[in-house]
Amino acid sequence: MVVRGSEGSETELAGTLTVGELFRGFLVLGLTGFGGVLPLAHHMIVEQRRWLSSVEFTELLGLCQFLPGGNIINLAVAIGMNFRGVAGAVAALVGLIAAPTAIVIVLGIVYARFQSDPHVVHMFGGLAAAAAGLLVAMAVKIALPMRRRPIAVGVAILCLVAIAVLQWPLVPTMLVLAPLSIALTRKLGA
C-alpha cells in the first residue's frame, strides 16, 4: 500500500503482516529499547519496517497515550490487533515484554546486590540521561508530521504548558484538550 505523507511524499507500506512477523518485530523492539522503547518504536515501525506511515503512527500513538496503561504496550496491542486481530495483539504484546521482563528481573537481582557501588550509581545516572535524550528525540519525530496542522500544534503547545509549566494533572488536562482538539479539527478541517 502506498500512502501520501503530510509533506506530499509517498511511502510504500509493508502490507499484511503475519503473527510471527509481529512477534519478531516487537521482540527486537523490546530487546533494543533500553531506557524506553517508544523512541525506537517510530524508527522500527515507520522507517525500518514500514508497518505504518508517520501520520498513522502519530495518530495511533495519540490514541494510545490517551488510554490507560503504558503507551508502547497499548501501541503494540493496537498494531497487532490491526494486522492480525486478537492473535496479532497477543503476539505483539508477548514479543514486546518477554525479553525485557527477564532482563529486568536479572538486573533487579544485580542492583539489589551492588546498589551502593559508586560504579553502579554512575551507570544508572548515565542511563537516565540517555533515556531523557531518547524521549526528546521521539518528541521531535512525533511533532514533525503535525507541523503543517496549526490546530494540532496549538493543542500540543497547550498540553505542554498545562502539564509541564502549570503542572495540572494529566487526566483532566487530556479530558479537556482531546475533545477540544477533535472539535476544532472537525470544525476547521485542519
Side-chain angles (χ1 to χ4, degrees):
M1 174 180 16
V2 176
V3 296
R4 185 173 298 279
S6 60
E7 56 279 340
S9 63
E10 290 186 349
T11 302
E12 186 166 346
L13 299 179
T16 303
L17 301 173
T18 66
V19 170
E21 288 172 324
L22 287 165
F23 176 80
R24 285 189 298 276
F26 279 101
L27 179 68
V28 169
L29 185 61
L31 278 171
T32 57
F34 279 92
V37 172
L38 199 52
L40 300 174
H42 184 275
H43 175 72
M44 186 204 89
I45 294 168
V46 174
E47 298 166 12
Q48 188 180 38
R49 298 185 185 234
R50 301 186 184 280
W51 290 354
L52 300 175
S53 70
S54 188
V55 171
E56 290 172 326
F57 181 88
T58 300
E59 290 174 354
L60 191 57
L61 180 61
L63 172 66
C64 292
Q65 287 179 321
F66 187 70
L67 299 173
N71 299 333
I72 189 63
I73 297 288
N74 294 342
L75 189 65
V77 170
I79 290 173
M81 192 77 178
N82 182 47
F83 282 104
R84 285 290 166 186
V86 174
V90 171
L93 178 61
V94 171
L96 181 66
I97 66 173
T101 300
I103 292 169
V104 165
I105 290 171
V106 171
L107 287 179
I109 293 168
V110 171
Y111 182 72
R113 173 88 167 89
F114 300 104
Q115 63 183 323
S116 59
D117 185 310
H119 295 96
V120 173
V121 172
H122 292 142
M123 181 185 76
F124 277 92
L127 289 173
L134 287 170
L135 286 175
V136 170
M138 180 64 195
V140 170
K141 284 186 175 185
I142 289 173
L144 283 177
M146 294 190 306
R147 69 181 181 273
R148 295 175 199 240
R149 299 166 59 188
I151 293 172
V153 171
V155 170
I157 290 170
L158 281 176
C159 190
L160 175 70
V161 169
I163 293 173
V165 177
L166 301 175
Q167 298 186 355
W168 291 352
L170 175 65
V171 172
T173 301
M174 294 299 287
L175 289 176
V176 171
L177 291 180
L180 175 67
S181 177
I182 293 168
L184 287 174
T185 301
R186 174 178 270 178
K187 182 172 183 165
L188 302 176

